[in-house]
Amino acid sequence: MPSSSAALEIRLDDLSGEPTRALIAAHLSDMRSISPEESCHALDLGGLQQPSVQAWSAWVAGELAGVGALAQLDATNGELKSMRVADNHRGTGVGRAMLEHLIDQARRVGMSALWLETGSTPEFLPAQRLYESAGFARCEPFGSYVLDPYSVFMTKQL
């Protein structure tokens, strides 16, 4: 978790703030440097601002520590999108806190299952381990996704 001297605050974010926009831009740039364009499924700012998506930001001592989003796929299913922890907050529990927050939000709105797509290359191993530790299991592609050597698909029943 973040240092005991600085509490973590997770809040709904309209994505209008410069720190949030910069972290999302850095996330997209990083994803595109790792995966081929056709295998990069991270949402850009416009995608994150769709009515079916809600985004949250995590803050420590007034500094942006991470972002995460929940997309409503249908009445009972959601997809985790754009989970990203700022580089200087990695390994501090921000990612786990955001993941738990998104799972709680999904339950709150009545979702019964969550889905996600993440990368398959070594850079994504920490994310895969985080999701597995929270009860996500690998699955086949869902929605409009197709089998892709650069993607890992996971789901969790709520």
Side-chain angles (χ1 to χ4, degrees):
M1 290 306 290
S3 100
S4 58
S5 63
L8 176 70
E9 176 192 1
I10 297 177
R11 58 186 182 226
L12 194 59
D13 197 311
D14 67 5
L15 308 176
S16 63
E18 186 50 40
T20 308
R21 287 174 174 259
L23 184 56
I24 291 166
H27 176 62
L28 284 170
S29 176
D30 195 28
M31 296 302 97
R32 290 178 177 143
S33 74
I34 296 169
S35 303
E37 185 65 30
E38 66 274 8
S39 299
C40 186
H41 304 289
L43 292 178
D44 62 13
L45 194 58
L48 289 169
Q49 292 176 316
Q50 294 301 308
S52 62
V53 179
Q54 283 192 306
W56 287 267
S57 53
W59 299 81
V60 175
E63 179 180 67
L64 180 63
V67 296
L70 179 63
Q72 183 100 27
L73 297 177
D74 58 35
T76 60
N77 293 284
E79 181 180 0
L80 299 183
K81 297 299 294 181
S82 300
M83 284 270 302
R84 179 63 178 229
V85 173
D87 291 346
N88 59 329
H89 289 278
R90 288 192 178 179
T92 66
V94 170
R96 179 165 304 283
M98 179 61 76
L99 179 58
E100 290 171 358
H101 179 80
L102 294 174
I103 292 168
D104 288 345
Q105 290 298 316
R107 284 186 175 119
R108 187 182 62 75
V109 298
M111 291 181 184
S112 58
L114 282 176
W115 306 80
L116 66 87
E117 180 276 339
T118 191
S120 65
T121 58
E123 297 89 348
F124 294 96
L125 285 176
Q128 292 172 25
R129 289 185 189 118
L130 173 64
Y131 298 134
E132 288 168 350
S133 75
F136 283 82
R138 290 178 186 238
C139 64
E140 293 298 312
F142 61 94
S144 62
Y145 292 107
V146 296
L147 279 176
D148 183 332
Y150 288 92
S151 290
V152 169
F153 304 97
M154 303 179 92
T155 188
K156 174 183 175 75
Q157 296 299 307
L158 301 178

